[in-house]
């Protein structure tokens, strides 16, 4: 009798726990977003997307990735009525209207050889990274494109333990209170590196599992083998949770997320779609904007999907998307952003060359 009662109580507890687990948010693609660009502009590979505290959507793309045919209107004389490469940085409102644009080479800083990653901090500064072979710098601008600070410099070689430059960094996050900027560093290096966000002074860095990184060549990812002791290339995203105060890092080609304290000490790692090879399954993530950051929205470029992951349990609660070129499908899915209403925005590189909006359908709690 006691055994039966214990089983019944366990079943009831399990059922109650299942009921407490949050239902996955629901999304629908908005095929009308964004609106047609002015000035015969066209987007190249869209290598970064972010939102600011005013719910504006910021995009950085690669004008240099466009083909001569795509830029036919730039020729003298023009070869066709369209098109012209848009400026690298564009800003949209939630309705898809273009609000402003800027970017490119200028006095006092080194514009990236290959644009990669954009972040808007809580003080309204815009941060950019670059994954070109010579890119070893982060750039900081005002919202209207005025240059503020360059951290690092362009150079020919990479060094995962360098303190004066980065190695083709992929992504940026800023801790405004601590005045620190974190970089996912990157395509050349294999580390997280932290600088003073006001002066650019080096502060600390670490590799996988919080250990000293190495640039020694590692074997290609093999799901049948033990996890790699080093980050793969690229270290593709970095996010700071406002709830748990931890640092979330995308080790893309190793199909894993690693989590750290801000001092670099290792907390945990979590594999997603671990049979995925190629370019990997953990590209980028953002936290849901509810007070508890209940979900992580994680993108998988190789499998062409957005995963909805419970932040605390790391369990997959839902997913949407597939490889393709129709609205709501993805070709080379690369980055993701979320606004305060819970709507998602995605960007695509390679031949995708577009941004999409996914409206949240259910009520955000």
């Amino acid at each position: 009798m006691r055994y039966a009662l214990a089983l019944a109580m366990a079943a009831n507890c399990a059922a109650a726990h299942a009921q407490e687990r949050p239902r996955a948010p629901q999304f629908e693609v908005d095929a009308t977003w964004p609106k047609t660009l002015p000035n015969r502009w066209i987007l190249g590979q869209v290598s970064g997307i972010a939102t600011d505290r005013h719910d504006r959507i910021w995009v950085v793309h690669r004008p240099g990735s466009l083909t001569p045919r795509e830029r036919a209107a730039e020729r003298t004389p023009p070869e066709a009525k369209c098109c012209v490469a848009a400026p690298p940085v564009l800003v949209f409102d939630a309705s898809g209207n273009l609000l402003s644009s800027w970017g490119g080479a200028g006095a006092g800083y080194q514009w990236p050889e290959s644009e990669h990653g954009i972040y808007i901090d809580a003080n309204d500064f815009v941060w950019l990274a670059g994954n070109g072979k010579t890119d070893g710098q982060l750039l900081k601008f005002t919202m209207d494109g005025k240059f503020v600070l360059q951290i690092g410099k362009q150079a020919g070689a990479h060094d995962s333990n360098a303190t004066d430059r980065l190695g083709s960094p992929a992504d940026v996050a800023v801790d405004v209170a601590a005045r620190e900027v974190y970089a996912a560093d990157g395509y050349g290096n294999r580390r997280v590196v932290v600088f003073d966000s006001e002066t650019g002074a080096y502060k600390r860095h670490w590799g996988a599992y919080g250990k000293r990184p190495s640039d020694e060549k590692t074997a290609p990812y093999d799901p049948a083998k033990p996890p790699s002791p080093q980050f793969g290339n690229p270290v593709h995203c970095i996010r700071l949770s406002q709830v748990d105060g931890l640092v979330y890092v995308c080790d893309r080609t190793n199909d894993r997320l690693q989590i750290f304290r801000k001092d670099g000490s290792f907390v945990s790692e979590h594999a997603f779609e671990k049979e995925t090879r190629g370019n990997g399954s953990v590209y980028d993530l953002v936290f849901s904007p509810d007070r508890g950051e209940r979900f992580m929205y994680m993108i998988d470029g190789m499998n062409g999907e957005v995963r909805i992951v419970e932040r605390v349990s790391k369990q997959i609660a839902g997913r949407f998307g597939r490889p393709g070129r129709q609205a709501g499908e993805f070709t080379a899915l690369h980055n993701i952003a979320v606004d305060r209403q819970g709507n998602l925005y995605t960007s695509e590189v390679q031949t995708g060359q577009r941004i999409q909006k996914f409206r949240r359908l259910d009520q955000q709690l």
Side-chain angles (χ1 to χ4, degrees), residues 54-55 88 93 141 157 171 197 211 218 304 309:
H54 309 288
D55 278 346
D93 65 19
F141 295 90
D171 196 18
S197 61
K211 298 179 180 179
T218 55
V309 180

Side-chain angles (χ1 to χ4, degrees), residues 20 26 28 31 36 40 43 50 58 80 114 171 181 204 211 215 223 243 250 255 272 276 279 285 297 349 361:
E20 290 172 1
Q26 303 297 304
E28 179 181 71
T36 302
R40 298 177 294 171
L43 292 175
W58 291 73
S114 175
D171 196 18
V181 54
R204 59 190 177 277
K211 298 179 180 179
D215 291 314
V243 174
C250 298
D255 294 349
F272 295 89
T276 303
N279 288 332
L285 66 88
Y297 302 119
V349 293
L361 300 178

